[in-house]
Amino acid sequence: MRHIATDTESDAMDTAPVVIRQDQYETDTLAAQYCDAHYGPDHFDVANFPATCARICLELMEGRTKGAALDVGCAVGRGSFELARGGFERVTGLDFSTRFFRLAARMQEEGYLRFALPEEGEIVSFHEIGLVDLGLAEVRDRVAFFQADACNLPDKFAGYDLVLAANLIDRLYAPRRFLTTIHERMNPGGLLIITSPYSWLEEFTKHEDWLGGYRDAGEPVWTLDGLKEALATRFRMVGEPRDIPFVIRETRRKYQHTIAELTAWELA
């Protein structure tokens, strides 16, 4: 990732400053955070989250057919590119967010993104990130991005050997519908990989639709239990759950450190 300049650094240069128009850059706070999280440098020695998820997917796919993969809830797209680099012939990235979809598609089409990161108060820094810098440029033609609703996927999204749903499940309005229909999009023996910090909020999912994170007759119901119940008729769990940390940069002095749980499921 190339650091270009803060909006105050240019004024301090002895030579004529490079003119940087802020409208060339993605300045929405969440969009910038995700651009940095997907394509920027690691923070606090925590490995890049989408790249880590893709690496684990590829490890679990060892000896299996790597024809087509679906990265549902792909955000700005890093995981999709990593899956293509790992050998998938075709990778489809889907996200409900118009902004995220457009950023992922722009990266695929143009090979780079520009964004502005908050530093302190009104001060921002400008950055450019490119697929060439990450060794991902050669797989651009095997990745395609679309805007779609994970709970109501169009029929054309089908025939996948792998489905990655990274940090998606607790942001769906109908998570059980997704879990009980996703098999229709997969080839027999395909793998479903789910990661989530299980941070259920009613602004995304009605309480009665939560998979876990509540008490029933005084007993705690955990999301992992809800996943097992929803997937039991079609899938078997592969291996044990594992923790995957990730970091979201808010400003140069404020970061979110979160731990998602990753589970893998094989379609019967």
Side-chain angles (χ1 to χ4, degrees):
M1 178 173 69
R2 292 187 289 277
H3 167 74
I4 297 180
T6 65
D7 54 0
T8 56
E9 285 171 351
S10 294
D11 296 337
M13 295 180 182
D14 294 331
T15 58
V18 176
V19 176
I20 299 178
R21 296 183 178 86
Q22 193 157 326
D23 59 7
Q24 295 174 333
Y25 293 82
E26 290 293 335
T27 56
D28 175 80
T29 300
L30 193 62
Q33 287 176 0
Y34 273 77
C35 285
D36 178 70
H38 276 231
Y39 300 105
D42 295 343
H43 302 296
F44 305 107
D45 297 321
V46 175
N48 181 280
F49 182 76
T52 297
C53 290
R55 175 182 57 78
I56 294 172
C57 287
L58 293 165
E59 290 173 358
L60 292 168
M61 289 295 296
E62 187 74 27
R64 299 170 182 263
T65 300
K66 292 197 286 283
L70 176 64
D71 183 6
V72 58
C74 67
V76 295
R78 175 71 179 271
S80 300
F81 292 113
E82 294 287 352
L83 290 172
R85 172 156 62 178
F88 275 93
E89 298 172 8
R90 176 171 59 91
V91 181
T92 301
L94 305 180
D95 204 275
F96 187 73
S97 164
T98 301
R99 172 65 71 87
F100 283 176
F101 152 68
R102 287 178 176 171
L103 286 168
R106 185 182 305 165
M107 180 63 101
Q108 190 274 333
E109 293 167 3
E110 300 180 7
Y112 71 93
L113 291 175
R114 292 172 173 168
F115 62 98
L117 281 177
E119 295 292 332
E120 179 182 315
E122 297 177 347
I123 303 172
V124 299
S125 59
F126 298 96
H127 303 265
E128 181 179 302
I129 50 180
L131 293 179
V132 171
D133 302 325
L134 298 168
L136 294 168
E138 294 183 358
V139 302
R140 285 169 58 184
D141 293 341
R142 287 191 272 133
V143 178
F145 295 100
F146 302 89
Q147 185 180 19
D149 178 356
C151 300
N152 188 25
L153 292 175
D155 292 341
K156 68 178 180 178
F157 298 119
Y160 297 104
D161 301 301
L162 170 78
V163 173
L164 171 61
N167 293 358
L168 170 75
I169 200 71
D170 59 355
R171 291 297 178 264
L172 297 178
Y173 63 85
R176 285 185 179 83
R177 183 191 306 172
F178 170 77
L179 294 173
T180 57
T181 58
I182 192 61
H183 69 277
E184 299 171 0
R185 313 298 173 163
M186 301 173 63
N187 294 329
L191 290 184
L192 169 64
I193 311 298
I194 297 172
T195 79
S196 177
Y198 308 145
S199 53
W200 298 100
L201 295 170
E202 289 198 82
E203 65 182 282
F204 300 106
T205 314
K206 292 180 180 179
H207 189 274
E208 58 265 30
D209 293 323
W210 291 8
L211 297 176
Y214 60 89
R215 290 185 178 272
D216 184 11
E219 295 299 318
V221 177
W222 305 101
T223 302
L224 182 58
D225 299 323
L227 289 173
K228 290 178 178 178
E229 180 182 1
L231 295 171
T233 59
R234 302 281 183 177
F235 293 85
R236 70 172 187 89
M237 184 183 288
V238 178
E240 295 296 321
R242 62 181 90 183
D243 288 340
I244 312 295
F246 63 95
V247 173
I248 300 289
R249 180 196 189 277
E250 294 188 20
T251 73
R252 68 190 300 180
R253 298 186 183 278
K254 185 181 179 184
Y255 296 77
Q256 303 172 26
H257 184 194
T258 309
I259 299 175
E261 184 171 76
L262 181 147
T263 53
W265 311 82
E266 183 180 44
L267 178 62

